[in-house]
Amino acid sequence: MSKPLNIGLIGYGFMGRAHSNAYRQVAQFFPELQHRPVLKAVCARNADKVRAFAAQWGYESTETDWRRLVERKDIDLIDICTPNNVHAEIALAAAAAGKMILCEKPLAMNGAEGQRMVEAVERAGVPNMVWYNYRRVPAVTLAQHLIAQGKLGRIFHYRAKFLQDWTINPELPQGGAGLWRLDVAAAGSGVSGDLLAHCIDTALWLNGPLVSINALTETFVKQRKHTLTGQVEPVGIDDACLFIGRFANGSLANFESTRYARGHKALYTFEINGEHASIAWDLHDLHRLQYFDHRDEGIVRGWRSIHVTDGDHPYMGKWWVPGLQIGYEHSFIHQVADFIAGVESGQPAMPTFRDALRTQMVLDAILQSAKTHAWAEVPMVEG
Amino acid sequence: MSKPLNIGLIGYGFMGRAHSNAYRQVAQFFPELQHRPVLKAVCARNADKVRAFAAQWGYESTETDWRRLVERKDIDLIDICTPNNVHAEIALAAAAAGKMILCEKPLAMNGAEGQRMVEAVERAGVPNMVWYNYRRVPAVTLAQHLIAQGKLGRIFHYRAKFLQDWTINPELPQGGAGLWRLDVAAAGSGVSGDLLAHCIDTALWLNGPLVSINALTETFVKQRKHTLTGQVEPVGIDDACLFIGRFANGSLANFESTRYARGHKALYTFEINGEHASIAWDLHDLHRLQYFDHRDEGIVRGWRSIHVTDGDHPYMGKWWVPGLQIGYEHSFIHQVADFIAGVESGQPAMPTFRDALRTQMVLDAILQSAKTHAWAEVPMVEG
Amino acid sequence: MSKPLNIGLIGYGFMGRAHSNAYRQVAQFFPELQHRPVLKAVCARNADKVRAFAAQWGYESTETDWRRLVERKDIDLIDICTPNNVHAEIALAAAAAGKMILCEKPLAMNGAEGQRMVEAVERAGVPNMVWYNYRRVPAVTLAQHLIAQGKLGRIFHYRAKFLQDWTINPELPQGGAGLWRLDVAAAGSGVSGDLLAHCIDTALWLNGPLVSINALTETFVKQRKHTLTGQVEPVGIDDACLFIGRFANGSLANFESTRYARGHKALYTFEINGEHASIAWDLHDLHRLQYFDHRDEGIVRGWRSIHVTDGDHPYMGKWWVPGLQIGYEHSFIHQVADFIAGVESGQPAMPTFRDALRTQMVLDAILQSAKTHAWAEVPMVEG
Amino acid sequence: MSKPLNIGLIGYGFMGRAHSNAYRQVAQFFPELQHRPVLKAVCARNADKVRAFAAQWGYESTETDWRRLVERKDIDLIDICTPNNVHAEIALAAAAAGKMILCEKPLAMNGAEGQRMVEAVERAGVPNMVWYNYRRVPAVTLAQHLIAQGKLGRIFHYRAKFLQDWTINPELPQGGAGLWRLDVAAAGSGVSGDLLAHCIDTALWLNGPLVSINALTETFVKQRKHTLTGQVEPVGIDDACLFIGRFANGSLANFESTRYARGHKALYTFEINGEHASIAWDLHDLHRLQYFDHRDEGIVRGWRSIHVTDGDHPYMGKWWVPGLQIGYEHSFIHQVADFIAGVESGQPAMPTFRDALRTQMVLDAILQSAKTHAWAEVPMVEG
């Protein structure tokens, strides 16, 4: 018999949709789970819009004040899909109320805030996770498995980029619905927290801690009209962020993110070069993993384009048949499945708030380095 | 207010899953539709398995005899996901019962049978459609739009292949669950009806009628153990099928399908060469369309790799944001959406049974040509 | 001490340039050869132009009548780069004069003519070879080695295409310098002899004899102005040619060539699907070989993109360092090197006239099949 | 009438071969040039080996002391293909002797040495050029033309990498023939001077001056046997070098080079993101340019893969026909052609010693930044 897992979602933007879809899909494809998400309530400030969203997605009820949602007894899990500047406050309240918490990335506005959130959920003893969804793209998970098996040997290089081009137009305003990511007050940072955060989360998972970095940020469009004030105001976010650095395992880091790379919509790529083998991946063709193994016979050695759709590839046994690809949204479904499995097994699924705090610490170091024009050490997070 | 569209599904294999998912997903992503599919009943012979399937997918009830399902008053639509040899019988009964009918491809065991099915649904006046789902892959739909806009000019060549490699192992048996496609009694033909049928459907849609063809078939593994009888029996299906031919518009056809192309899981590709522009597509990277336009400035002319994920690309405004890809299953969701929209607008969505009969006529011509070692004319289907 | 190999070249068009370059380059990159080509004489009808060509390329002398060239005692080797309709006459005279003969492809206007040429060179006992240069692209040679090693196992499919787009414009005239390939009187056929001949030569080398075929040809532009007569005249060549067929080893053939495939300049591709492994190659990226091996570990199985530039790849030890690619012209240099090595070792380099006659027989069968709309058997060539 | 340009080559390694080939090839493909290189003399310390090289390549004479070569009256041009630590001494002597000078890259061991070389050749008024050959790959030259036409608009990002994997094996010794690049005394630096120097030269040409950088270097294998001493000795070169920085035009720089990127033999890539368009290139497929133009119609916008082989592409009218690619060696032939054309026109071909000094200054800044762990300004070179 399946048990309900009552979801209370806060925020109905792009992420609200992606998470709602995941909750609706997980039981059909992961029938071994005992808990089945129930779309109990969705919360947002605009009553009309939140009702429409609830109707479309099948939420049983709506709220317009997140504090009320957090207090509801019929909610097991609070899912935070708000702009970054509200994550902490909600998470602290939800932890105090004993709710499980899923939080959109980046965890917090900065490391100090993230630290308080970690302490809150750990003190409360509630299951918690951050939506760094790309870990659950099957090709990325496969990369992790290959590394864990030692296939790559000693790692020399880790390279990641997240390139977009949607803010090149200087007429695009900052702030408001859909554009809060351009408003430093709501987002905390620009591409570093939005895009590079994904790259860092994956990197820490695949390659271990980053120890020191040197970063460079740039704001190409210095002022934009603010949607909320109607005034042209200085832009406070970073439009582009690059850093070089060192991992604890001795490998070198090269990271870059921007929203000014014409021709790239969401090109998150990474490549890892090891002593024996290398791996590369690309979000624009997310169902493929590139793999080179130096131990292959010399004359037929080459980069292999692995179409990660076989039944023995991570998660893929749950879906269709070999050759038929899945897409972006599935990474969220996998993450919900892993979260529930973690709750059921007692082995919490990663990345927990504590795991995500490590990424936050790197983000802090990035902004500090960019500001001081000097190398920055990344503070260690225990545990 | 949304109106229920009560679904009765027959068969719970690979296609039963894909269709069930489509019914569950369509309302959230196409909220403008007035009808919302309701998973009323699923039917299959094995009572335990069908109950388990119903539980997993949320069907309200089960049946073990399709005739009972067809008679139920609470069912609006019969969806036929059985092996090919049962399509006609069910469709005729469902038409007689006044049900809407969706039928898996190929429509029938042969053209004559298909003709009877067309007559039945048209006489009954029930909405009907065949699941040639690849028309609704956004990149394929985009290809159709570009052709309809005249961007390619006169067409010279149409080339399609559907390559798989899953039956190379001679130990693989024929017949039975999951393997009925190897049993000529259940499937009617091998790769021609299974794979080439998709290629033909797309081709007729994009490039108009095929008029004459010359085909070659081969059965590489001549006998296999039959799962149902336990005996080694001759293999009656075609393992590979190639044909060349002519379209009514004067262009030349080159088609091939096989299950013996090592390294390809489900590589459905097509390429169309026109006077001004060419188009190519590939199921293994289904979210991309390759496009070459000779009218581009000479020194920067090249094949464009279009990442079909923008809001103004077909269907993509319904999903996520630019750069984030969808997958195989979405083609079914789109097809359900189009079917419902067709019911609501009175403009039936294609391919109807009649449209699918055209593909069936090509399949007949293929088998006839292969058997007689001679060119075959493709019978014209009116309307 | 190197010995001179005195070259007499007939024709200074595109092929005359490519061959001249090969003669000039071979000694530097294949220093182990004892014979060094000497550019003794070049022959063409236009005295001014042939003198200019000789000056540019370093030929010691010129002729305007090929018969005089063939008679010269100081010439060891006659290289025939004329339009196809003159190959036989020159080859017969050169054989009678005891010259070594290199002849551009296709060998002859038809099989009967080719047969006479084979008899002539074999009766005379002179070294002979036909310029099917693509055998000596390192990636293609590597493909042959892999097949010879048995890496692919039983072969199921052989697929080849040669696609161009340069004759789509109907204003392009036929006949005359650079355009004799459009004139059936000079060329004998269109794309079949020009392009498909390459595909066939490679196929016979890699996959053995073709036994039966069914072909389809088309002339899209039915009449063109003739450069020599100034009149609009019917076009006698095939603009496109497709065939399906069977190889002696039981594999299926799918071949196509056209000059109406918008977007492709010289896209010669082939793919071979074997029981254990598959191979694919593409002239537009000629330094790469695609290779899939089913024996690779399942989760990291994929098509390998082999950058054929390593020292242990065929011919590549002669050139630069790994990663640095060579181009089209090098296939001719390799062919000259192999020819000379064959002369020195007594093991004639392929394809000899006799080898090329096999391709000619396939071409005859193609044209016959296309004309009769029926399958054609390919006549066997002994030896 | 062609005039001789008498070449005196110093060094017969990999570069000696590539240059010799260029001298031999240029006249046939660039017949409009009045000067024709004559291989007058080659110089190296080992008398036997240099004689063998001369015989293979057709040099008229040999020398074993470069000072004697520089003094010879019959030499017009000294080509320096020695290890880096001898460039300056030879160049100064050659300039004093009034010779034209071609010098392998990097120009010098450091900026100060390079400065003296620039002063010497400019004082002497002799034509001079440095072999940054990748500027003359047709696709790279095309990139420059597109940028010069303003097609990209304001530039936001310039990204370059040069990845190799040939020194991962710790048993590989340093020093001696073929391995002097691992010996800091001979090479001055590791990948920065060897590989990154190419990336920087191209970048300065395409995107203007770099103004400030922050670099990171690493030596993964700390000690290797030295071929000359027979002892295991510390490795003084950088095995990997990364830097971030800023160009004068406001764009951001991300550069990386390494010899520890498993799977990459010579993967020099760059990508430039402009306001309107982006460009990317890759040495492993050097005949292609990737181009994205945002001004293309939205639904068919995509990265174009330009096969740079048409007659109106840079240099390609000199070679074969569209679709047929050239390779690595041709970049040297083009450079010789441009050098001669520059001598004849009085418009010196780039990069001159002065141009190459700018790259040297960036290299100095890199090593300084890596050593001091701080940002470094790039000294401006006038002129």
Side-chain angles (χ1 to χ4, degrees), chain A residues 220-244:
Chain A
F220 289 114
V221 174
K222 307 290 187 198
Q223 48 182 28
R224 292 181 183 273
K225 188 168 172 182
H226 201 295
T227 304
L228 301 182
T229 66
Q231 305 297 314
V232 173
E233 298 187 8
V235 172
I237 61 160
D238 47 307
D239 282 343
C241 178
L242 293 71
F243 75 85
I244 52 180

PDB file of all heavy atoms in Angstrom, chain A residues 220-244:
ATOM      1  N   PHE A 220      28.197  43.452 -18.034  1.00  0.00           N
ATOM      2  CA  PHE A 220      28.335  44.101 -19.337  1.00  0.00           C
ATOM      3  C   PHE A 220      27.338  45.243 -19.516  1.00  0.00           C
ATOM      4  O   PHE A 220      27.657  46.260 -20.097  1.00  0.00           O
ATOM      5  CB  PHE A 220      28.147  43.081 -20.462  1.00  0.00           C
ATOM      6  CG  PHE A 220      29.268  42.103 -20.589  1.00  0.00           C
ATOM      7  CD1 PHE A 220      29.081  40.751 -20.330  1.00  0.00           C
ATOM      8  CD2 PHE A 220      30.530  42.540 -20.964  1.00  0.00           C
ATOM      9  CE1 PHE A 220      30.124  39.856 -20.451  1.00  0.00           C
ATOM     10  CE2 PHE A 220      31.585  41.642 -21.092  1.00  0.00           C
ATOM     11  CZ  PHE A 220      31.377  40.284 -20.827  1.00  0.00           C
ATOM     12  N   VAL A 221      26.127  45.030 -19.042  1.00  0.00           N
ATOM     13  CA  VAL A 221      25.126  46.094 -19.138  1.00  0.00           C
ATOM     14  C   VAL A 221      24.992  46.680 -17.741  1.00  0.00           C
ATOM     15  O   VAL A 221      24.505  46.013 -16.826  1.00  0.00           O
ATOM     16  CB  VAL A 221      23.786  45.536 -19.660  1.00  0.00           C
ATOM     17  CG1 VAL A 221      22.709  46.609 -19.610  1.00  0.00           C
ATOM     18  CG2 VAL A 221      23.957  45.035 -21.095  1.00  0.00           C
ATOM     19  N   LYS A 222      25.435  47.904 -17.607  1.00  0.00           N
ATOM     20  CA  LYS A 222      25.656  48.467 -16.276  1.00  0.00           C
ATOM     21  C   LYS A 222      24.378  48.957 -15.617  1.00  0.00           C
ATOM     22  O   LYS A 222      24.313  49.079 -14.402  1.00  0.00           O
ATOM     23  CB  LYS A 222      26.621  49.662 -16.379  1.00  0.00           C
ATOM     24  CG  LYS A 222      27.922  49.373 -17.103  1.00  0.00           C
ATOM     25  CD  LYS A 222      28.845  48.459 -16.321  1.00  0.00           C
ATOM     26  CE  LYS A 222      30.206  48.357 -17.022  1.00  0.00           C
ATOM     27  NZ  LYS A 222      30.976  47.197 -16.586  1.00  0.00           N
ATOM     28  N   GLN A 223      23.380  49.305 -16.418  1.00  0.00           N
ATOM     29  CA  GLN A 223      22.116  49.725 -15.804  1.00  0.00           C
ATOM     30  C   GLN A 223      20.959  49.265 -16.669  1.00  0.00           C
ATOM     31  O   GLN A 223      21.061  49.188 -17.894  1.00  0.00           O
ATOM     32  CB  GLN A 223      22.076  51.240 -15.577  1.00  0.00           C
ATOM     33  CG  GLN A 223      22.504  52.054 -16.771  1.00  0.00           C
ATOM     34  CD  GLN A 223      22.489  53.547 -16.455  1.00  0.00           C
ATOM     35  OE1 GLN A 223      22.665  53.955 -15.306  1.00  0.00           O
ATOM     36  NE2 GLN A 223      22.242  54.351 -17.465  1.00  0.00           N
ATOM     37  N   ARG A 224      19.897  48.928 -16.003  1.00  0.00           N
ATOM     38  CA  ARG A 224      18.679  48.470 -16.672  1.00  0.00           C
ATOM     39  C   ARG A 224      17.493  49.049 -15.927  1.00  0.00           C
ATOM     40  O   ARG A 224      17.539  49.284 -14.718  1.00  0.00           O
ATOM     41  CB  ARG A 224      18.568  46.940 -16.608  1.00  0.00           C
ATOM     42  CG  ARG A 224      19.601  46.190 -17.407  1.00  0.00           C
ATOM     43  CD  ARG A 224      19.371  44.691 -17.270  1.00  0.00           C
ATOM     44  NE  ARG A 224      20.378  43.910 -17.959  1.00  0.00           N
ATOM     45  CZ  ARG A 224      20.324  43.549 -19.251  1.00  0.00           C
ATOM     46  NH1 ARG A 224      19.300  43.935 -20.010  1.00  0.00           N
ATOM     47  NH2 ARG A 224      21.280  42.827 -19.791  1.00  0.00           N
ATOM     48  N   LYS A 225      16.407  49.199 -16.656  1.00  0.00           N
ATOM     49  CA  LYS A 225      15.168  49.634 -16.029  1.00  0.00           C
ATOM     50  C   LYS A 225      14.750  48.568 -15.014  1.00  0.00           C
ATOM     51  O   LYS A 225      14.851  47.372 -15.279  1.00  0.00           O
ATOM     52  CB  LYS A 225      14.092  49.775 -17.100  1.00  0.00           C
ATOM     53  CG  LYS A 225      12.816  50.416 -16.599  1.00  0.00           C
ATOM     54  CD  LYS A 225      11.942  50.777 -17.780  1.00  0.00           C
ATOM     55  CE  LYS A 225      10.567  51.249 -17.313  1.00  0.00           C
ATOM     56  NZ  LYS A 225       9.717  51.544 -18.486  1.00  0.00           N
ATOM     57  N   HIS A 226      14.299  49.021 -13.843  1.00  0.00           N
ATOM     58  CA  HIS A 226      13.840  48.077 -12.834  1.00  0.00           C
ATOM     59  C   HIS A 226      12.324  47.959 -12.939  1.00  0.00           C
ATOM     60  O   HIS A 226      11.601  48.944 -12.907  1.00  0.00           O
ATOM     61  CB  HIS A 226      14.247  48.526 -11.436  1.00  0.00           C
ATOM     62  CG  HIS A 226      14.245  47.391 -10.454  1.00  0.00           C
ATOM     63  ND1 HIS A 226      13.106  46.727 -10.098  1.00  0.00           N
ATOM     64  CD2 HIS A 226      15.271  46.780  -9.781  1.00  0.00           C
ATOM     65  CE1 HIS A 226      13.411  45.769  -9.243  1.00  0.00           C
ATOM     66  NE2 HIS A 226      14.722  45.773  -9.033  1.00  0.00           N
ATOM     67  N   THR A 227      11.834  46.757 -13.080  1.00  0.00           N
ATOM     68  CA  THR A 227      10.407  46.528 -13.289  1.00  0.00           C
ATOM     69  C   THR A 227       9.581  47.014 -12.099  1.00  0.00           C
ATOM     70  O   THR A 227       8.480  47.532 -12.269  1.00  0.00           O
ATOM     71  CB  THR A 227      10.150  45.031 -13.508  1.00  0.00           C
ATOM     72  OG1 THR A 227      10.962  44.600 -14.593  1.00  0.00           O
ATOM     73  CG2 THR A 227       8.695  44.764 -13.862  1.00  0.00           C
ATOM     74  N   LEU A 228      10.116  46.852 -10.921  1.00  0.00           N
ATOM     75  CA  LEU A 228       9.326  47.195  -9.735  1.00  0.00           C
ATOM     76  C   LEU A 228       9.280  48.700  -9.496  1.00  0.00           C
ATOM     77  O   LEU A 228       8.247  49.253  -9.148  1.00  0.00           O
ATOM     78  CB  LEU A 228       9.883  46.475  -8.507  1.00  0.00           C
ATOM     79  CG  LEU A 228       9.908  44.949  -8.623  1.00  0.00           C
ATOM     80  CD1 LEU A 228      10.432  44.313  -7.338  1.00  0.00           C
ATOM     81  CD2 LEU A 228       8.514  44.393  -8.959  1.00  0.00           C
ATOM     82  N   THR A 229      10.403  49.386  -9.759  1.00  0.00           N
ATOM     83  CA  THR A 229      10.432  50.831  -9.488  1.00  0.00           C
ATOM     84  C   THR A 229      10.129  51.649 -10.731  1.00  0.00           C
ATOM     85  O   THR A 229       9.790  52.819 -10.630  1.00  0.00           O
ATOM     86  CB  THR A 229      11.830  51.249  -8.992  1.00  0.00           C
ATOM     87  OG1 THR A 229      12.760  51.048 -10.072  1.00  0.00           O
ATOM     88  CG2 THR A 229      12.255  50.427  -7.784  1.00  0.00           C
ATOM     89  N   GLY A 230      10.278  51.049 -11.891  1.00  0.00           N
ATOM     90  CA  GLY A 230      10.076  51.814 -13.116  1.00  0.00           C
ATOM     91  C   GLY A 230      11.258  52.709 -13.464  1.00  0.00           C
ATOM     92  O   GLY A 230      11.247  53.408 -14.475  1.00  0.00           O
ATOM     93  N   GLN A 231      12.275  52.703 -12.651  1.00  0.00           N
ATOM     94  CA  GLN A 231      13.451  53.542 -12.868  1.00  0.00           C
ATOM     95  C   GLN A 231      14.595  52.749 -13.497  1.00  0.00           C
ATOM     96  O   GLN A 231      14.728  51.556 -13.257  1.00  0.00           O
ATOM     97  CB  GLN A 231      13.964  54.088 -11.520  1.00  0.00           C
ATOM     98  CG  GLN A 231      12.944  54.833 -10.711  1.00  0.00           C
ATOM     99  CD  GLN A 231      12.460  56.076 -11.439  1.00  0.00           C
ATOM    100  OE1 GLN A 231      13.249  56.837 -11.978  1.00  0.00           O
ATOM    101  NE2 GLN A 231      11.138  56.257 -11.526  1.00  0.00           N
ATOM    102  N   VAL A 232      15.435  53.468 -14.252  1.00  0.00           N
ATOM    103  CA  VAL A 232      16.693  52.858 -14.696  1.00  0.00           C
ATOM    104  C   VAL A 232      17.628  52.822 -13.495  1.00  0.00           C
ATOM    105  O   VAL A 232      17.883  53.864 -12.885  1.00  0.00           O
ATOM    106  CB  VAL A 232      17.322  53.661 -15.853  1.00  0.00           C
ATOM    107  CG1 VAL A 232      18.703  53.116 -16.171  1.00  0.00           C
ATOM    108  CG2 VAL A 232      16.417  53.616 -17.077  1.00  0.00           C
ATOM    109  N   GLU A 233      18.096  51.673 -13.159  1.00  0.00           N
ATOM    110  CA  GLU A 233      18.915  51.533 -11.957  1.00  0.00           C
ATOM    111  C   GLU A 233      20.179  50.736 -12.275  1.00  0.00           C
ATOM    112  O   GLU A 233      20.209  49.952 -13.218  1.00  0.00           O
ATOM    113  CB  GLU A 233      18.126  50.787 -10.874  1.00  0.00           C
ATOM    114  CG  GLU A 233      16.877  51.545 -10.443  1.00  0.00           C
ATOM    115  CD  GLU A 233      16.175  50.899  -9.251  1.00  0.00           C
ATOM    116  OE1 GLU A 233      16.750  49.946  -8.671  1.00  0.00           O
ATOM    117  OE2 GLU A 233      15.063  51.353  -8.919  1.00  0.00           O
ATOM    118  N   PRO A 234      21.211  50.950 -11.466  1.00  0.00           N
ATOM    119  CA  PRO A 234      22.433  50.160 -11.682  1.00  0.00           C
ATOM    120  C   PRO A 234      22.138  48.670 -11.555  1.00  0.00           C
ATOM    121  O   PRO A 234      21.280  48.278 -10.766  1.00  0.00           O
ATOM    122  CB  PRO A 234      23.351  50.606 -10.527  1.00  0.00           C
ATOM    123  CG  PRO A 234      22.807  51.912 -10.085  1.00  0.00           C
ATOM    124  CD  PRO A 234      21.328  51.886 -10.344  1.00  0.00           C
ATOM    125  N   VAL A 235      22.838  47.899 -12.356  1.00  0.00           N
ATOM    126  CA  VAL A 235      22.691  46.444 -12.290  1.00  0.00           C
ATOM    127  C   VAL A 235      23.700  45.913 -11.280  1.00  0.00           C
ATOM    128  O   VAL A 235      24.894  46.205 -11.386  1.00  0.00           O
ATOM    129  CB  VAL A 235      22.924  45.807 -13.676  1.00  0.00           C
ATOM    130  CG1 VAL A 235      22.959  44.293 -13.562  1.00  0.00           C
ATOM    131  CG2 VAL A 235      21.841  46.246 -14.644  1.00  0.00           C
ATOM    132  N   GLY A 236      23.225  45.170 -10.309  1.00  0.00           N
ATOM    133  CA  GLY A 236      24.102  44.703  -9.237  1.00  0.00           C
ATOM    134  C   GLY A 236      24.619  43.292  -9.398  1.00  0.00           C
ATOM    135  O   GLY A 236      25.477  42.846  -8.650  1.00  0.00           O
ATOM    136  N   ILE A 237      24.109  42.590 -10.400  1.00  0.00           N
ATOM    137  CA  ILE A 237      24.516  41.190 -10.548  1.00  0.00           C
ATOM    138  C   ILE A 237      25.727  41.062 -11.457  1.00  0.00           C
ATOM    139  O   ILE A 237      26.078  41.985 -12.192  1.00  0.00           O
ATOM    140  CB  ILE A 237      23.380  40.344 -11.160  1.00  0.00           C
ATOM    141  CG1 ILE A 237      23.024  40.888 -12.551  1.00  0.00           C
ATOM    142  CG2 ILE A 237      22.182  40.293 -10.240  1.00  0.00           C
ATOM    143  CD1 ILE A 237      22.307  39.914 -13.435  1.00  0.00           C
ATOM    144  N   ASP A 238      26.341  39.898 -11.408  1.00  0.00           N
ATOM    145  CA  ASP A 238      27.425  39.589 -12.341  1.00  0.00           C
ATOM    146  C   ASP A 238      26.800  38.966 -13.597  1.00  0.00           C
ATOM    147  O   ASP A 238      26.054  38.004 -13.520  1.00  0.00           O
ATOM    148  CB  ASP A 238      28.441  38.637 -11.710  1.00  0.00           C
ATOM    149  CG  ASP A 238      27.820  37.444 -10.994  1.00  0.00           C
ATOM    150  OD1 ASP A 238      26.944  37.661 -10.127  1.00  0.00           O
ATOM    151  OD2 ASP A 238      28.175  36.299 -11.316  1.00  0.00           O
ATOM    152  N   ASP A 239      27.121  39.540 -14.751  1.00  0.00           N
ATOM    153  CA  ASP A 239      26.646  39.014 -16.036  1.00  0.00           C
ATOM    154  C   ASP A 239      27.492  37.828 -16.485  1.00  0.00           C
ATOM    155  O   ASP A 239      27.036  36.979 -17.266  1.00  0.00           O
ATOM    156  CB  ASP A 239      26.755  40.088 -17.113  1.00  0.00           C
ATOM    157  CG  ASP A 239      25.644  41.124 -17.038  1.00  0.00           C
ATOM    158  OD1 ASP A 239      24.617  40.842 -16.380  1.00  0.00           O
ATOM    159  OD2 ASP A 239      25.808  42.196 -17.642  1.00  0.00           O
ATOM    160  N   ALA A 240      28.716  37.836 -16.044  1.00  0.00           N
ATOM    161  CA  ALA A 240      29.644  36.757 -16.418  1.00  0.00           C
ATOM    162  C   ALA A 240      30.561  36.519 -15.238  1.00  0.00           C
ATOM    163  O   ALA A 240      30.863  37.454 -14.486  1.00  0.00           O
ATOM    164  CB  ALA A 240      30.459  37.136 -17.645  1.00  0.00           C
ATOM    165  N   CYS A 241      30.984  35.288 -15.087  1.00  0.00           N
ATOM    166  CA  CYS A 241      31.876  34.943 -13.977  1.00  0.00           C
ATOM    167  C   CYS A 241      32.797  33.810 -14.408  1.00  0.00           C
ATOM    168  O   CYS A 241      32.327  32.761 -14.858  1.00  0.00           O
ATOM    169  CB  CYS A 241      31.048  34.524 -12.763  1.00  0.00           C
ATOM    170  SG  CYS A 241      32.048  34.025 -11.359  1.00  0.00           S
ATOM    171  N   LEU A 242      34.075  34.028 -14.287  1.00  0.00           N
ATOM    172  CA  LEU A 242      35.072  33.011 -14.636  1.00  0.00           C
ATOM    173  C   LEU A 242      35.944  32.763 -13.414  1.00  0.00           C
ATOM    174  O   LEU A 242      36.247  33.715 -12.683  1.00  0.00           O
ATOM    175  CB  LEU A 242      36.001  33.490 -15.740  1.00  0.00           C
ATOM    176  CG  LEU A 242      35.491  33.740 -17.143  1.00  0.00           C
ATOM    177  CD1 LEU A 242      34.606  34.961 -17.220  1.00  0.00           C
ATOM    178  CD2 LEU A 242      36.665  33.898 -18.102  1.00  0.00           C
ATOM    179  N   PHE A 243      36.353  31.541 -13.220  1.00  0.00           N
ATOM    180  CA  PHE A 243      37.404  31.344 -12.215  1.00  0.00           C
ATOM    181  C   PHE A 243      38.307  30.178 -12.569  1.00  0.00           C
ATOM    182  O   PHE A 243      37.907  29.249 -13.272  1.00  0.00           O
ATOM    183  CB  PHE A 243      36.851  31.212 -10.798  1.00  0.00           C
ATOM    184  CG  PHE A 243      36.191  29.920 -10.430  1.00  0.00           C
ATOM    185  CD1 PHE A 243      36.932  28.820  -9.974  1.00  0.00           C
ATOM    186  CD2 PHE A 243      34.806  29.803 -10.482  1.00  0.00           C
ATOM    187  CE1 PHE A 243      36.300  27.638  -9.594  1.00  0.00           C
ATOM    188  CE2 PHE A 243      34.168  28.622 -10.096  1.00  0.00           C
ATOM    189  CZ  PHE A 243      34.920  27.529  -9.659  1.00  0.00           C
ATOM    190  N   ILE A 244      39.525  30.295 -12.115  1.00  0.00           N
ATOM    191  CA  ILE A 244      40.480  29.198 -12.172  1.00  0.00           C
ATOM    192  C   ILE A 244      40.774  28.799 -10.733  1.00  0.00           C
ATOM    193  O   ILE A 244      40.549  29.590  -9.811  1.00  0.00           O
ATOM    194  CB  ILE A 244      41.775  29.591 -12.916  1.00  0.00           C
ATOM    195  CG1 ILE A 244      42.373  30.884 -12.334  1.00  0.00           C
ATOM    196  CG2 ILE A 244      41.487  29.756 -14.405  1.00  0.00           C
ATOM    197  CD1 ILE A 244      43.667  31.332 -13.024  1.00  0.00           C
TER     198      ILE A 244
END
